[in-house]
Amino acid sequence: LHSPAAAAAAASPTPPPCVPPSPQFKACRCATAAFAEAADRSRPDAHHVRPGVPHHEHRPTLMGCNTSKGDSAPRQLVLLGGGECGKTTIFKQIQMVYGTGFAGKGGEWIEPILNSPVRSMHQLLKVAAAKDMNVSPDKEAAAQRVLASKPGLLTPDLATDVALLWEDPNIKAVSDVKEADLDDNAIFFLNKVELLGTPGYLPSDEDILKVRDPTRSIETLDFKVGKAKFRVIDVGGQRMERPKWNLTGDITAVLFVCSLIEYDQVLREDIKQNRLKESLNLFDIACNRRYVDNPIILFLNKKDLFEAKIAKKNVSDYFSDYDGSDRDFAATSSYFKEKFLAKMKNKDKTVYTHVTCATDTSNVKFVFNAVINMIIEQTIKDSGLQ
């Protein structure tokens, strides 16, 4: 598929067989075992924390299984957006704020956390070599050991090598070039790699929030605010995952997440397509084709990284119709907000917009409380009780 529109046209209106078919998404572990195993097989080869145990068993059991026939159905909120926009981080924040959190579950995230600094250093060394920006001679042996390492547990010796290389001026310089294409929080994990390499290291909540581990299945989380029940549904954002956006059942609202820092980035799946322009196309599909009648809440995410990026990279270099100050956070973020709102065909429909930082728990809690109150008020209004 070469465009979001083509992807949407090719997507069947009926959910694919691997998606739990219940109209209320009453997905429990037993009902989704085959789907989780299929999703696990689609992942790149990985060394699991416990040999022989499928990867999905290391992850939190997020599927809601407590709705009985006598219970009222939860209001269902679907999280949509392109790959790496931060919606899964918002999903994790909701689990922290409204759910059970991650107490005692750090081991379920240890593999991607420990792999992050090693994977990043692999990439940095390859880009440095391609640009003839080699590390200093005294670090060459460490570079060779890191390049020879494979995904798995981070040993103290390997952590020391990564930390040594991260101090190299050429590696630091390469980390800022476009070709490096590091995860948003790669530097966070590189800065603490020696701590991560400590035997028996247990991830913090911040580690879990910041690690990138792509959504490869439909994950749900049930929670309550007062007496109101909610279910959040997180669907993968990469192109290969988007057929799963054909969700059936009663959707209360769509939470669409866009990463503001994508204005100068291209898709991993298609290097000719600007990521933020792809996000605008996806918003068009979600609002005007898939969920025409549902309330839309737009999250313009990663505001902290965006504010840092516009200090160095001009928005106008990538969006030629932007004529404001490239260094003005309010002007640039407002510009992108209007770009999204312009996609709405129904100009009478309200789109609730929030500028967010998904890794900031207090920010997400404040914003999500406003979203919940809006949904409850809208529900009361629609029922004629107001």
Side-chain angles (χ1 to χ4, degrees):
L1 297 177
H2 300 290
S3 70
S12 168
T14 304
C18 62
V19 178
S22 166
Q24 294 299 330
F25 301 99
K26 293 179 185 176
C28 62
R29 200 173 185 79
C30 58
T32 57
F35 174 63
E37 289 168 8
D40 188 58
R41 287 195 297 272
S42 73
R43 298 172 60 85
D45 291 340
H47 294 258
H48 300 299
V49 179
R50 299 191 300 274
V53 180
H55 179 83
H56 69 273
E57 290 191 12
H58 293 288
R59 303 297 300 274
T61 305
L62 299 177
M63 298 298 184
C65 306
N66 300 321
T67 305
S68 66
K69 291 183 179 180
D71 290 339
S72 60
R75 297 172 174 89
Q76 300 193 122
L77 315 175
V78 59
L79 269 168
L80 299 179
E84 303 180 59
C85 65
K87 59 186 181 53
T88 299
T89 305
I90 291 175
F91 187 84
K92 295 175 191 174
Q93 289 280 21
I94 295 168
Q95 186 179 4
M96 284 184 59
V97 174
Y98 299 104
T100 57
F102 302 116
K105 299 178 181 177
E108 296 163 347
W109 299 88
I110 194 70
E111 180 187 338
I113 288 170
L114 298 187
N115 280 339
S116 177
V118 180
R119 186 179 70 248
S120 296
M121 189 53 66
H122 269 244
Q123 180 68 4
L124 291 171
L125 288 169
K126 290 176 182 177
V127 174
K131 290 183 171 291
D132 291 326
M133 298 174 63
N134 296 318
V135 298
S136 59
D138 61 311
K139 297 183 177 71
E140 278 291 346
Q144 293 307 313
R145 288 192 293 268
V146 169
L147 288 171
S149 67
K150 295 180 180 180
L153 291 178
L154 180 66
T155 65
D157 288 343
L158 183 57
T160 298
D161 283 341
V162 172
L164 179 68
L165 292 167
W166 183 228
E167 294 175 354
D168 189 272
N170 279 350
I171 293 297
K172 283 283 177 69
V174 166
S175 70
D176 203 35
V177 303
K178 192 172 184 178
E179 294 86 344
D181 194 24
L182 297 177
D183 293 345
D184 293 339
N185 293 303
I187 291 175
F188 169 81
F189 291 106
L190 284 167
N191 284 339
K192 62 182 299 185
V193 63
E194 289 186 288
L195 177 60
L196 295 177
T198 305
Y201 178 81
L202 291 177
S204 65
D205 286 350
E206 187 176 19
D207 293 337
I208 295 170
L209 286 172
K210 290 188 173 182
V211 70
R212 168 156 170 73
D213 195 22
T215 303
R216 300 185 187 276
S217 65
I218 294 177
E219 295 187 280
T220 68
L221 173 65
D222 286 3
F223 65 96
K224 292 178 72 175
V225 178
K227 294 183 179 180
K229 299 176 183 177
F230 294 89
R231 174 173 295 149
V232 177
I233 306 161
D234 181 20
V235 187
Q238 287 75 20
R239 284 185 174 181
M240 64 182 291
E241 303 294 332
R242 291 174 198 163
K244 298 168 190 172
W245 287 22
N246 287 315
L247 300 173
T248 58
D250 295 326
I251 301 297
T252 303
V254 174
L255 312 180
F256 190 94
V257 185
C258 163
S259 169
L260 286 170
I261 65 170
E262 293 179 339
Y263 68 88
D264 70 329
Q265 298 174 349
V266 295
L267 296 180
R268 295 182 190 274
E269 309 98 307
D270 180 2
I271 61 172
K272 294 181 180 179
Q273 175 67 337
N274 178 280
R275 282 196 197 182
L276 207 148
K277 291 177 181 178
E278 174 95 340
S279 189
L280 286 163
N281 292 336
L282 294 177
F283 187 75
D284 180 9
I285 293 169
C287 296
N288 299 318
R289 304 184 202 179
R290 300 281 176 86
Y291 301 102
V292 177
D293 299 322
N294 298 104
I296 305 292
I297 297 99
L298 172 63
F299 291 83
L300 298 177
N301 195 32
K302 304 188 183 181
K303 65 177 185 179
D304 55 330
L305 300 177
F306 178 68
E307 190 163 16
K309 176 174 275 192
I310 61 174
K312 297 182 288 184
K313 295 188 177 180
N314 297 338
V315 169
S316 58
D317 289 345
Y318 303 91
F319 287 80
S320 57
D321 62 334
Y322 177 67
D323 58 3
S325 168
D326 283 301
R327 304 291 175 261
D328 189 324
F329 174 82
T332 49
S333 58
S334 178
Y335 164 78
F336 285 120
K337 172 184 174 180
E338 294 305 319
K339 294 283 281 188
F340 277 94
L341 297 183
K343 291 290 183 181
M344 293 293 299
K345 292 181 179 178
N346 181 359
K347 301 303 180 183
D348 294 327
K349 184 174 180 178
T350 301
V351 176
Y352 303 89
T353 307
H354 299 275
V355 181
T356 59
C357 173
T359 56
D360 183 340
T361 301
S362 61
N363 176 246
V364 172
K365 183 176 181 179
F366 176 82
V367 169
F368 213 78
N369 280 341
V371 170
I372 293 298
N373 289 336
M374 180 276 295
I375 291 171
I376 292 173
E377 289 174 8
Q378 187 64 45
T379 302
I380 294 172
K381 182 179 178 181
D382 292 345
S383 68
L385 297 177
Q386 190 178 64

